[in-house]
Amino acid sequence: MARTVLVTGGGTGLGKAAALRFAREGDRVAICGRRTEVLEAASREIAAAGAADVATFACDVRYDDDVAKMAAALHERWGALDVLLANAAGNFVCPAEKLSPNGWKAVIEIVLNGTFYCCSAFGRKMIEAHAADGKGRSIVTIVADYAWAAGPGVIHSASAKAGVLALTRTLAVEWARHGIRANAVSPGPFRSEGTDKNLWLDETLAREIVESIPLRRYTTAAEVAESIAFLADEAKAGYITGACLPVDGGHWLTGSHLGFLDAIARAAKP
Ligand code: COA
């Protein structure tokens, strides 16, 4: 039976890869993001991949009113979600001493507040639905290894992701009795047009990063999407909740993220 799934930030990158993965299972897939034209293009791909239905919402998750409106519209259309993938994020590299209060706020509001607003708005309806049908439902969040270590160069994102990890574990315990599992995925370093532009800066740094990953390659969005799909699947992961799954080629075990983020932050223009 087709599940109902929302992927926040589902118009690009990892979010889109996960939305396509759910679409291939024949699920009903909703995506939200800030840019309508990006969402429209992604929705055509999602429909072509096999989704039973596709919905798009222009919604900036840092605004609780926007999230509440999206939740009301989606609940009206499909009822409670079976799967919420809280993926929407914002990030940029900036040494802590140069980060302005507005820069701090932008990332905290998107990553931490936005994740809470979505979990809250969609979780309430999941709780109500579980009381009626007893079905299991799932929330998956996206973190990073610096959520439990340190994120030199991305203090805002590290602080927000640490909050998201605590939020995920807390919901896992609080909402277990409502049949809701909550798990996090922690992707390793990605390489994309966006990261080339915003992060890796040059080929030397990109190579150094690969050499610091035990499996000696970057994570791909498609393989992270497989882990998200696994955790969201009641039949496969029905007894897994409160977990944080690194999909990072062993990268966090080496502690080398500390070095590379620091190098990126030092190389970044002020
Ligand atoms: N370095 C330092 N400060 C930065 C910055 C950077 N690269 N980018 C943004 N800021 C600061 C701005 O200067 C501003 O602070 P100020 O008012 O004190 O000058 C504050 O952050 C908000 O900037 P604004 O451009 O209004 O941000 P926004 O709310 O529109 O968007 C992001 C914030 C994080 C989404 C944006 O920086 C962005 O698009 N990042 C790249 C894309 C991305 O994040 N993809 C997801 C990767 S996980």
Side-chain angles (χ1 to χ4, degrees), residues 248-265:
D248 70 346
H251 188 241
W252 83 269
L253 295 167
T254 68
S256 54
H257 55 290
L258 303 184
F260 91 72
L261 279 172
D262 212 19
I264 291 166

Side-chain angles (χ1 to χ4, degrees), residues 34 62 89-94 99-100 102-103 106-107 110 198:
R34 289 182 297 175
R62 78 185 111 174
N91 200 2
F92 55 84
V93 174
C94 184
L99 184 64
S100 73
N102 270 347
V107 172
I110 298 167
N198 298 318

Side-chain angles (χ1 to χ4, degrees), residues 21 34 41 49 53 60 63 71 88 96 99 106 117 125 129 131 212-213 215 237 239 257 263 265 269:
R21 178 64 179 75
R34 289 182 297 175
D53 193 8
D60 188 331
Y63 303 116
L99 184 64
Y117 298 151
K125 187 75 175 178
S212 73
I213 301 169
L215 285 179
Y239 201 56
H257 55 290
K269 291 179 188 65

Side-chain angles (χ1 to χ4, degrees), residues 16-224:
K16 187 169 88 174
L20 289 168
R21 178 64 179 75
F22 286 115
R24 284 197 287 275
E25 303 246 350
D27 291 332
R28 289 182 278 177
V29 180
I31 53 173
C32 75
R34 289 182 297 175
R35 290 169 295 161
T36 312
E37 66 284 4
V38 170
L39 293 171
E40 288 310 319
S43 77
R44 286 190 288 275
E45 285 184 59
I46 293 164
D53 193 8
V54 187
T56 61
F57 295 92
C59 170
D60 188 331
V61 296
R62 78 185 111 174
Y63 303 116
D64 59 326
D65 283 359
D66 273 20
V67 173
K69 276 190 208 129
M70 171 171 66
L74 203 47
H75 290 149
E76 175 76 29
R77 183 162 166 171
W78 289 345
L81 288 179
D82 293 308
V83 179
L84 167 64
L85 172 57
N87 160 78
N91 200 2
F92 55 84
V93 174
C94 184
E97 69 278 15
K98 291 185 182 156
L99 184 64
S100 73
N102 270 347
W104 167 264
K105 256 191 253 170
V107 172
I108 297 289
E109 285 176 352
I110 298 167
V111 176
L112 180 55
N113 295 0
T115 300
F116 175 72
Y117 298 151
C118 291
C119 289
S120 158
F122 289 98
R124 278 198 292 266
K125 187 75 175 178
M126 287 176 167
I127 290 171
E128 204 182 293
H130 180 263
D133 64 17
K135 266 177 60 182
R137 293 180 170 80
S138 164
I139 293 172
V140 180
T141 60
I142 305 296
V143 299
D145 53 12
Y146 51 63
W148 61 87
V154 288
I155 191 169
H156 41 16
S157 179
S159 306
K161 293 291 191 187
V164 170
L165 187 53
L167 176 156
T168 308
R169 289 171 170 156
T170 301
L171 290 182
V173 174
E174 275 203 34
W175 288 355
R177 67 185 182 281
H178 301 299
I180 301 170
R181 297 177 301 104
N183 292 290
V185 168
S186 177
F190 270 92
R191 196 151 184 216
S192 68
E193 220 176 285
T195 58
D196 278 0
K197 200 167 93 203
N198 298 318
L199 287 182
W200 313 137
L201 302 176
D202 63 41
E203 283 303 319
T204 312
L205 197 49
R207 240 190 343 270
E208 277 171 22
I209 291 165
V210 168
E211 280 160 18
S212 73
I213 301 169
L215 285 179
R216 292 289 187 274
R217 62 175 178 83
Y218 286 95
T219 306
T220 69
E223 67 194 340
V224 178

